[in-house]
Amino acid sequence: MSDVATSDRAAGEEPTELKRVMGPKLLLLFIVGDILGTGVYALTGDVAAEVGGAAWAPFIAAFLVATITALSYLELVTKYPLAGGAATFVHKAFGIHFVTFIVAFAVMCSGITSASTASSAFAGFLRDGLGADWEAGSTPLLLIALGFMTLIALINFRGVGESVKANIVLTCVELSGLLLIIFVGIYAVTQDKADFSRVIVFESASDKSVFISISMATALAFFAMVGFEDSVNMAEETHEPSKIFPKVMLSGLAITGVIYVLVSITAVALVPVDQLVGGERSALTQVVATGAPGLPFDKIFPFIGMFAVANSALINMLMASRLVYGMARQEVLPPGMGLVHRTRRTPWAAIIFTTLVSYALISYVVLGSGSPIVKLLGGTTALLLLAVFTVVNIAVLVLRRDDVGRKHFRTPTFMPILGALTCAFLVGPWARSEEQQEQYVIAGGLLVLGIVLWAITWFLNRALYAKKTYMRDPEHIDHE
């Protein structure tokens, strides 16, 4: 047994060949950095459009749902401290390969839709930074979004090995943009420019009840809270994950939740909701310009926003392409998708596939749907992950019968039940406005694509197995 495995056994953890390099501080930065990004930067105005000045309420609701689900992830990651995430947990619980595939493919699709959302947000921030007057859905913004995804693909192809130090820098830049919003809010208060009376005004654009309107806004705001689940893939590279994961993951969620609520309150207090949603510039850029007109923050902020959403897109496309590569290597997707470039050693076929899917999504929304990319694809990301989280919460209850023989985090039984019910509720059509119903078309189309590819692979594998069996069978020899 290797020294690494012996050390892991001594610490009461599963042995792993990966190097354990992350302690509590670095893991916290990873979680905070993964959650921060496109969601709050791009969707604050859209959330406000659903509930008016009470934009903070959906973010709190999304935080609570995410925390309940995080407790389920904590039980699973401390019980099975192995990389793999939702697909690994679901397979341990149910052992049905097709269900495992659907969960893995849904997670992969959520990465593509999230990156596509970031591409649109990037184009919007670039417009703000350049002072251009491109309208939403215009050709320049479409071409910039597609060009941005091409650049992400090229970086992905070249090979991106982000060190922990790089992650710290990226997290600090993303965080600085949101702290800038809060600082501008504090400054505006001293200048009597903030109207906090708007913060308690509830307005539903769809004339729905308060509960339904907040539910619809929460399903959208949930996009801002996703990312915490990615940290479970770092379990094999974290010191004593069973011990430090609970405190660190919950701390990361709390930090981001507080920041999101403060940002949403600041946005509504400084800019009326109708201007926040229908303005020529991105919502948070308007907030900075209104709160501190004498300072150059509105010139700087768009570029911070570009950096934040670009980082989100790269991380998501890296994740998506590697998932496709892994599924191809496990023979649940066509083997051609697992091809690796000889010199770059990157999964070029998977990168091309995921990039083409993102092109199709962006073009479909802009040219065929006409709906805002950020609102539609960001909502689709939340829809896919809420469905996955529903299954993960159920998996926690199923795996209670599996005794691993050591102590681990255990969430109260009612929590995964509540998590499954709330996530399933937010998956339903009642949690989406009429224009958001198209999210089901996009999510369904992506899953159908996955099922078709899975079926093709299944038939190819059967044919190959039959051929090998036939070649090994001596009875096939023609005795003449």
Side-chain angles (χ1 to χ4, degrees), residues 42 72 102 111 152 209 243 255 284 317 327-329 344 358 389 401 430 435:
S72 293
I102 288 296
I152 291 296
S209 67
K243 179 180 178 180
I255 291 171
L284 294 188
M317 291 304 283
M327 286 187 283
R329 295 295 293 238
R344 303 308 314 177
S358 72
F389 293 164
R401 64 193 179 193
W430 44 79
E435 66 174 359

Side-chain angles (χ1 to χ4, degrees), residues 183-199:
F183 170 77
V184 166
I186 296 173
Y187 175 78
V189 170
T190 64
Q191 302 298 311
D192 293 327
K193 294 180 180 179
D195 182 3
F196 287 99
S197 66
R198 290 197 291 258
V199 174

Side-chain angles (χ1 to χ4, degrees), residues 5-218:
T6 303
S7 176
D8 288 338
R9 289 293 190 193
E13 303 296 349
E14 295 291 335
T16 175
E17 294 301 320
L18 299 179
K19 186 178 181 180
R20 298 191 184 274
V21 297
M22 299 188 73
K25 294 180 181 179
L26 293 181
L27 181 61
L28 178 63
L29 285 169
F30 178 88
I31 293 173
V32 172
D34 206 5
I35 297 175
L36 293 178
T38 306
V40 70
Y41 273 94
L43 286 176
T44 301
D46 294 307
V47 172
E50 296 292 338
V51 294
W56 48 270
F59 282 107
I60 291 179
F63 163 75
L64 293 175
V65 175
T67 301
I68 293 171
T69 300
L71 293 175
S72 293
Y73 268 91
L74 286 175
E75 177 166 337
L76 293 171
V77 75
T78 56
K79 192 174 184 178
Y80 311 103
L82 303 171
T88 297
F89 303 144
V90 170
H91 191 69
K92 282 184 173 292
F94 306 107
I96 303 174
H97 289 281
F98 180 72
V99 173
T100 303
F101 166 77
I102 288 296
V103 169
F105 199 81
V107 172
M108 183 276 294
C109 290
S110 73
I112 298 177
T113 53
S114 179
S116 300
T117 306
S119 72
S120 178
F122 178 90
F125 281 123
L126 178 60
R127 174 197 60 194
D128 296 347
L130 298 177
D133 58 353
W134 303 324
E135 296 181 357
S138 62
T139 300
L141 289 178
L142 172 62
L143 293 178
I144 291 172
L146 295 176
F148 172 73
M149 292 307 300
T150 303
L151 178 62
I152 291 296
L154 292 174
I155 297 174
N156 197 350
F157 171 74
R158 182 173 178 81
V160 180
E162 292 188 50
S163 65
V164 174
K165 291 183 179 180
N167 181 63
I168 294 174
V169 173
L170 297 174
T171 300
C172 290
V173 173
E174 290 177 341
L175 185 58
S176 68
L178 300 177
L179 293 180
L180 176 60
I181 296 290
I182 298 172
F183 170 77
V184 166
I186 296 173
Y187 175 78
V189 170
T190 64
Q191 302 298 311
D192 293 327
K193 294 180 180 179
D195 182 3
F196 287 99
S197 66
R198 290 197 291 258
V199 174
I200 59 174
V201 176
F202 176 85
E203 296 174 335
S204 174
S206 55
D207 295 326
K208 301 288 186 180
S209 67
V210 174
F211 178 75
I212 293 298
S213 295
I214 291 181
S215 296
M216 291 191 297
T218 300

Side-chain angles (χ1 to χ4, degrees), residues 137-468:
S138 62
T139 300
L141 289 178
L142 172 62
L143 293 178
I144 291 172
L146 295 176
F148 172 73
M149 292 307 300
T150 303
L151 178 62
I152 291 296
L154 292 174
I155 297 174
N156 197 350
F157 171 74
R158 182 173 178 81
V160 180
E162 292 188 50
S163 65
V164 174
K165 291 183 179 180
N167 181 63
I168 294 174
V169 173
L170 297 174
T171 300
C172 290
V173 173
E174 290 177 341
L175 185 58
S176 68
L178 300 177
L179 293 180
L180 176 60
I181 296 290
I182 298 172
F183 170 77
V184 166
I186 296 173
Y187 175 78
V189 170
T190 64
Q191 302 298 311
D192 293 327
K193 294 180 180 179
D195 182 3
F196 287 99
S197 66
R198 290 197 291 258
V199 174
I200 59 174
V201 176
F202 176 85
E203 296 174 335
S204 174
S206 55
D207 295 326
K208 301 288 186 180
S209 67
V210 174
F211 178 75
I212 293 298
S213 295
I214 291 181
S215 296
M216 291 191 297
T218 300
L220 191 59
F222 195 81
F223 175 55
M225 294 304 306
V226 299
F228 68 89
E229 74 284 355
D230 290 336
S231 64
V232 300
N233 291 310
M234 304 300 294
E236 293 185 56
E237 296 166 87
T238 302
H239 294 294
E240 300 182 287
S242 296
K243 179 180 178 180
I244 71 172
F245 250 96
K247 181 185 296 184
V248 173
M249 183 182 284
L250 294 178
S251 297
L253 279 167
I255 291 171
T256 53
V258 169
I259 291 173
Y260 287 172
V261 170
L262 291 177
V263 167
S264 59
I265 290 176
T266 301
V268 174
L270 293 182
V271 182
V273 173
D274 57 342
Q275 297 179 26
L276 198 65
V277 177
E280 295 181 355
R281 293 191 290 181
S282 301
L284 294 188
T285 303
Q286 293 185 66
V287 172
V288 175
T290 302
L295 300 175
F297 290 160
D298 61 325
K299 306 296 182 184
I300 301 172
F301 183 79
F303 296 99
I304 295 176
M306 287 168 58
F307 187 89
V309 300
N311 180 49
S312 297
L314 179 57
I315 290 174
N316 278 284
M317 291 304 283
L318 281 169
M319 178 272 290
S321 60
R322 269 57 180 183
L323 269 176
V324 169
Y325 164 77
M327 286 187 283
R329 295 295 293 238
Q330 293 174 17
E331 299 183 343
V332 293
L333 284 180
M337 293 184 179
L339 296 176
V340 176
H341 194 267
R342 290 186 178 180
T343 56
R344 303 308 314 177
R345 306 305 300 168
T346 50
W348 64 268
I351 292 171
I352 291 176
F353 173 74
T354 52
T355 303
L356 290 176
V357 173
S358 72
Y359 285 168
L361 286 172
I362 295 169
S363 300
Y364 167 77
V365 174
V366 174
L367 302 177
S369 171
S371 300
I373 295 180
V374 171
K375 193 171 185 178
L376 192 53
L377 293 185
T380 303
T381 303
L383 172 63
L384 289 166
L385 289 179
L386 283 166
V388 170
F389 293 164
T390 301
V391 180
V392 170
N393 277 301
I394 296 172
V396 172
L397 299 173
V398 174
L399 288 170
R400 286 283 172 86
R401 64 193 179 193
D402 183 20
D403 184 4
V404 294
R406 57 179 171 79
K407 292 183 178 180
H408 58 81
F409 179 85
R410 183 183 174 95
T411 182
T413 301
F414 76 91
M415 281 295 189
I417 296 175
L418 182 60
L421 292 175
T422 53
C423 288
F425 175 81
L426 291 175
V427 168
W430 44 79
R432 280 158 187 81
S433 63
E434 186 174 347
E435 66 174 359
Q436 292 174 336
Q437 297 296 319
E438 200 168 356
Q439 294 171 13
Y440 295 105
V441 177
I442 296 174
L446 290 171
L447 293 181
V448 167
L449 172 62
I451 292 172
V452 169
L453 292 173
W454 175 84
I456 292 173
T457 308
W458 186 81
F459 282 111
L460 288 175
N461 289 341
R462 276 183 63 90
L464 182 62
Y465 176 78
K467 182 178 180 180
K468 289 181 178 180

